[in-house]
Amino acid sequence: MASPDLVTPWPSSSGYSFSGSLDIRLEEANPADILPALEVPTSSISYNCTIPKPPPLPCKTFTRTKYANTFLECCSVPKETVDTWDKLFNEGHGADVYVITEDESYVPAHSSILGAASPVLENLLQQTRIKNGMRYIKIPGVPYDAVRLFIRFLYSSCYEKEEMKKFVLHLLVLSHSYIVPALKRVCIYFLEQDWLTKENIVDVLQLARNCDAPRLSLLCVRRVVKDFKAISSTEGWKVMRRVSPALEQELLESVVEVDSKKEERLKKMEERKVYLQLNEAMEALLHICRDGCRTIGPRDKVLKGSQVACGFPACKGLETLVRHFSSCKTRVPGGCVHCKRMWQLLELHSRMCNEPDTCKVPLCRYFKEKMQQQCKKDETKWKLLVSKVVAARNRLGAFSGQRSGFI
């Protein structure tokens, strides 16, 4: 929202003259005289050398390990233990279970280890009859190598990186179906790190939802929203559209929601920028009319055109606007855009000023009296604008206070 576009006639009373209250000199400041606005202050406090030194800061007694680094190694147990369990798995000594795969191959295993690692497998083993001293369970729909890697992980929590990357989707399904949380975390980690592509992102999203992996699902949704144009043209998206139209509708709504939030955020940022500029203009206007700035200011001030630039960002632009406003001959309503803008700035100052009787800004008291005659609609617009500018000023002050506190 910009400042209200109000058309107001120029006051005819000689008591409200604008140019009569300011002293304007036709000089310009020398750019070589401009100095930095902020300087590092030098302290003049002398400290007593008899004051004892403070005790040293406590040292760190522990080091924190990031969660992600636990999966950088292929194993999370000592090497000796890994070798022992891998040997037991590879040799199959004392095995009492055959795990049948999709191609009718089998992997020998130990029922006690499978039951301890997976409650689902424990239940299956209890329901399976013993034939010739062996139990037989089948894991369908998964390649032999994936089943072997799955059983090996149950023994030693160990895996090969290349095999894990190759069968990560199969292992994610197995870890979820047979309730093996450790393997499920490893699979999710691999998928989150470097496995997702625009070709498989839709498939992984559907699998993550079926396997109760909310973090992975959220990551996939964010990837889809970020690169929607490329992902929506893949074969996986076309299959998903036929199989799960509800998921497609959900993803489209997510894309629209993100775009709407982005536009709304940009709009709020632009509005906040306008209100901050208006606040800077109010500060610069009060500075010019009360203290004077280089070649423009009140008549009771001695101006020095060679003085350094002031610290008000809007002072230079407002100074040009004031010079035009004081000498412009086209002051009829709607005649001069620059004069109309200056007129609105003066009225905005009057509505924000709490001392109209002693204020040195021209026409301040005039606008205070004029408020009594404005219609309710215009009054509401001005009150809303004033509240926005004041809120922007307070927000800027709070932010500056936080920065000074950190510094």
Side-chain angles (χ1 to χ4, degrees), residues 251-364:
L251 293 175
L252 292 176
E253 292 177 357
S254 299
V255 173
V256 173
E257 182 181 0
V258 170
D259 291 342
S260 300
K261 288 183 177 180
K262 184 178 180 180
E263 293 178 0
E264 183 179 356
R265 184 167 58 251
L266 294 176
K267 182 179 178 181
K268 287 184 177 180
M269 291 177 60
E270 290 298 325
E271 289 181 353
R272 197 172 300 168
K273 183 178 179 181
V274 172
Y275 298 138
L276 288 175
Q277 290 175 348
L278 287 175
N279 178 64
E280 293 175 356
M282 294 298 99
E283 294 179 350
L285 179 63
L286 185 61
H287 162 65
I288 290 175
C289 299
R290 182 183 59 188
D291 305 325
C293 182
R294 296 185 299 173
T295 61
I296 185 171
R299 293 186 177 275
D300 57 350
K301 294 287 184 177
V302 178
L303 304 177
K304 297 180 180 180
S306 60
Q307 70 183 25
V308 297
C310 68
F312 293 88
C315 192
K316 184 176 181 180
L318 189 61
E319 179 180 348
T320 304
L321 189 61
V322 170
R323 291 182 183 278
H324 169 83
F325 190 63
S326 62
S327 59
C328 181
K329 304 301 181 182
T330 310
R331 294 179 176 176
V332 296
C336 179
V337 177
H338 303 291
C339 290
K340 186 178 180 181
R341 185 179 305 171
M342 187 66 199
W343 189 266
Q344 293 174 346
L345 290 177
L346 290 173
E347 184 169 357
L348 178 60
H349 162 79
S350 177
R351 291 178 176 273
M352 298 178 64
C353 181
N354 296 324
E355 300 176 352
D357 296 332
T358 59
C359 182
K360 293 187 177 181
V361 177
L363 308 176
C364 181

Side-chain angles (χ1 to χ4, degrees), residues 41 43 148 175 219 328 357 394 397:
S43 175
R148 181 175 175 81
S175 64
L219 181 62
C328 181
D357 296 332
N394 295 338

